[in-house]
Structure formats: C-alpha cells, structure tokens
Amino acid sequence: QAKVEGKNRYKFYDQSINDEMVKKIKLRNEIRQGIINKEFVVYYQPQVNIVSGKISGVEALVRWRHPIRGLVMPGDFIDLAEETGLIIPLGEYVLRTACRQSMEWERAGLTGIMMSVNISVKQINSLNIVQDILDIIDETHMIPEHLILEITESVAMENISKTIDIMNQLREKGITFSLDDFGTGYSSLNYLKNIPINHLKIDKQFVQNLQRQTFEEVVVRSIIEIAHRMELTVVAEGIETLEQKEALTSYNCDIAQGYYYSKPIPHQEVESFIKGI
Ligand code: C2E
Ligand code: MG
Ligand code: MG
Ligand code: MG
C-alpha cells in the first residue's frame, strides 16, 4: 500500500516538474519569437532633481506587448530571459532603443537627459560585452556621458575583478555606472570601496518603509551620508508620497524616481512630462 502511494506520489511530483518545464520552454520560445516580432517595447520613468523638481534623466524599463496577454511586466519574464541567455539579445535591443531615443530627444532640443539602462549579470559576463556596448553607442551616436548602466549587487558580486575591469573599459569612454537596489541582497560597505560606480540607487523597500525613528530612516540617512562622502550621486527609487519625498529631501538625497512623479511611460509621454503638459 505504502509503496503504491509512494509511486503515485513520485508520479505526481514528476508530472508537476514536467508541467513547469513545459511552461518554461513555451515561454522561452515565446520570448525568442517576441524579440523577432519586435513585441518588446521600452518605457521610460522620469528621474527628477529632488530640490528643483526638474527632470534629470529617465530609466529605461522593458515591457512585453504580448499579442494575447497584453502588456507583460519584466517580473514575469526577465528571470527566464536570464536563465536562457535570451537576456543578451533582449538587453541589446533595450540598450539600442534607449540610445536611439536619447539621441532623438537631443535632436529635438530636449538636451542633457541622462539615460539609465539595466544590465544583467548574464550580459556583463557575455563574451564581447564591451565591444557590443561600444558598437551600439557608435551606431546610435549616443553621447556616452549621458549613458548610465545600472547593475545590481549580484551582478557585481559574481566575478568582481572581471566586472571591475569591464566597467573601467566602459568608463574610459565616458559611460558611468549605478548600483541598483542598494540595501537588498548581499551589500557590504567594503564592497562599495572597490566597485567603480558614480551613482547609488536606494531600493524602494527602504523608501517605502520610511517613517521617523525607524530602522529604515537610520539606514537611508546613513547610506546617503556614506555615498556623499564617496562622491556618489544618490537616487531614491519608489517614491510614492509627498512625505517620502520630503523626508528624502531633508536627508540630502539628490535624485528621486517613483510614482509620486510618474510611472514608467512611453517616450511620447516623457516629452509631455518634460514640457510640463
Ligand atoms: P529596477 O531596475 O529596480 O526598476 C525599478 C522598478 O520599480 C520598475 O519596475 C519600476 O516600475 C518600479 N517602480 C518605480 N517607481 C515605483 C513606485 O513608486 N512604486 C512601486 N511600487 N514601484 C515603482 P519594473 O518596470 O516592473 O521592472 C522590474 C525590474 O525588472 C527592474 O527593477 C529591473 O531589475 C528589471 N528590468 C526592467 N527592465 C529591464 C531591462 O531592460 N533589462 C534588465 N536586465 N532588467 C530589466
Ligand atoms: Mg534599475
Ligand atoms: Mg532599482
Ligand atoms: Mg528595484
């Protein structure tokens, strides 16, 4: 009896693993086809100078305009794109689109807008990453000083000396780096000392739990102080309320990003945002 049950249980287990795999394979094929069909679009979320309220840049965020499911958010496909290596062509597409957009704004007289683009660990570790990025910059005539590449701690942790080498090669061309989602994961302050970044993004989890005299308040104030001593620009992500904005202003945060100002929007809406329409 127990044996039969055991067997069935295994069978059930196998079946669910199988279902999971089939789902993943389907999604992988859909992502691959979606890249070919140009179903991926780039939205831009404004980043503003927290004191003046003026736009300083945008973050490029990918979305999938799926023919059946509608607009799919990165949380539903980025991990699998990473696992399967499809993040490499997808990431290149996002970077190329963002650089082109940046140049279109320049040409239209909306000048000096910084363009932040997320770069995944798979991309950083890919064979010709430096040349691939430089080729895109050449091809789109992007101003390298306007490009910020956002990496997460996990990206940088994996092979720190190789990552630093790649970052330095790109920094020589004028590109800068931002450390994304700071405060989550395995951040160590010591590690901030070695990684050649210019900007630090405080994770929205801290911003959203900000209240007077909480752990988060202490952490956020301390991060900003340390970052400023290291001459880094501090960006707070996930600002949703006036209270959060005011708290971060009083802690001398430099740049703000969040729904309080704007959600990620298509490029035409960024143009209206800048013109204050
Ligand atoms: P991230 O780089 O930390 O981007 C910020 C995320 O926070 C975005 O989610 C943005 O829409 C969201 N956000 C901004 N302000 C607020 C706010 O006030 N409240 C709340 N609740 N959320 C806010 P999104 O667009 O869903 O992207 C999620 C993550 O997917 C990104 O986190 C990034 O890690 C990844 N991702 C997005 N686009 C790309 C891409 O082109 N390449 C790579 N490698 N990763 C990407
Ligand atoms: Mg980011
Ligand atoms: Mg972030
Ligand atoms: Mg985040």
Side-chain angles (χ1 to χ4, degrees):
Q1 174 73 42
K3 215 175 175 184
V4 174
E5 233 176 51
K7 240 185 179 171
N8 284 339
R9 208 179 297 143
Y10 274 113
K11 209 172 160 194
F12 179 70
Y13 185 59
D14 281 346
Q15 191 54 48
S16 66
I17 288 183
N18 214 29
D19 288 350
E20 195 60 28
M21 271 184 60
V22 168
K23 248 172 113 181
K24 277 192 174 180
I25 291 168
K26 272 192 184 157
L27 184 59
R28 182 194 66 194
N29 292 340
E30 277 190 281
I31 296 173
R32 184 177 292 142
Q33 198 57 45
I35 296 172
I36 295 168
N37 296 350
K38 301 218 186 317
E39 290 166 9
F40 290 91
V41 291
V42 181
Y43 277 36
Y44 302 91
Q45 187 176 32
Q47 299 178 325
V48 307
N49 177 307
I50 204 166
V51 176
S52 72
K54 286 212 169 110
I55 193 164
S56 61
V58 295
E59 178 175 7
L61 294 157
V62 69
R63 271 96 183 88
W64 186 1
R65 221 173 254 156
H66 192 281
I68 297 158
R69 278 180 276 157
L71 202 66
V72 184
M73 302 303 274
D76 293 331
F77 61 85
I78 285 286
D79 283 353
L80 191 68
E82 290 246 357
E83 260 179 62
T84 56
L86 286 169
I87 193 71
I88 292 169
L90 183 59
E92 272 191 24
Y93 169 78
V94 172
L95 181 62
R96 183 175 292 110
T97 305
C99 288
R100 266 192 202 136
Q101 188 58 60
S102 175
M103 283 320 289
E104 270 173 38
W105 284 331
E106 282 293 317
R107 283 195 204 102
L110 307 170
T111 55
I113 297 167
M114 300 297 289
M115 177 63 76
S116 292
V117 180
N118 294 286
I119 294 289
S120 84
V121 60
K122 269 276 171 71
Q123 283 175 278
I124 288 283
N125 290 330
S126 73
L127 207 54
N128 289 315
I129 184 65
V130 173
Q131 200 50 51
D132 290 347
I133 291 175
L134 296 180
D135 285 348
I136 290 173
I137 293 211
D138 275 353
E139 174 200 320
T140 58
H141 307 290
M142 175 74 187
I143 301 166
E145 286 76 11
H146 287 178
L147 182 62
I148 299 175
L149 298 177
E150 294 194 359
I151 60 170
T152 57
E153 294 162 43
S154 59
V155 173
M157 289 297 275
E158 219 155 276
N159 188 343
I160 184 100
S161 62
K162 189 184 158 217
T163 303
I164 290 174
D165 180 54
I166 289 166
M167 291 170 76
N168 282 332
Q169 289 182 56
L170 292 167
R171 279 158 56 94
E172 271 173 36
K173 308 290 179 184
I175 298 166
T176 56
F177 284 84
S178 178
L179 193 56
D180 204 352
D181 301 340
F182 189 75
T184 63
Y186 305 97
S187 55
S188 98
L189 290 175
N190 190 46
Y191 153 87
L192 264 190
K193 187 176 83 184
N194 300 316
I195 187 125
I197 51 168
N198 295 70
H199 324 272
L200 192 85
K201 287 187 88 168
I202 301 175
D203 193 74
K204 55 177 171 285
Q205 165 191 319
F206 288 102
V207 173
Q208 295 181 346
N209 292 316
L210 264 188
Q211 271 146 19
R212 294 276 152 199
Q213 291 168 1
T214 58
F215 173 73
E216 283 76 12
E217 191 207 2
V218 175
V219 171
V220 168
R221 297 182 85 132
S222 309
I223 291 175
I224 294 173
E225 247 181 68
I226 293 167
H228 281 162
R229 291 205 190 165
M230 300 178 75
E231 300 183 331
L232 307 176
T233 320
V234 181
V235 183
E237 69 173 23
I239 295 187
E240 292 184 354
T241 67
L242 177 66
E243 290 71 32
Q244 289 162 358
K245 179 215 150 183
E246 284 178 341
L248 283 150
T249 309
S250 74
Y251 310 155
N252 294 319
C253 177
D254 304 294
I255 291 167
Q257 178 181 349
Y259 295 173
Y260 175 74
Y261 298 95
S262 171
K263 290 195 169 183
I265 46 183
H267 73 90
Q268 304 91 329
E269 291 179 37
V270 176
E271 286 138 39
S272 317
F273 181 93
I274 296 171
K275 292 172 182 156
I277 307 167

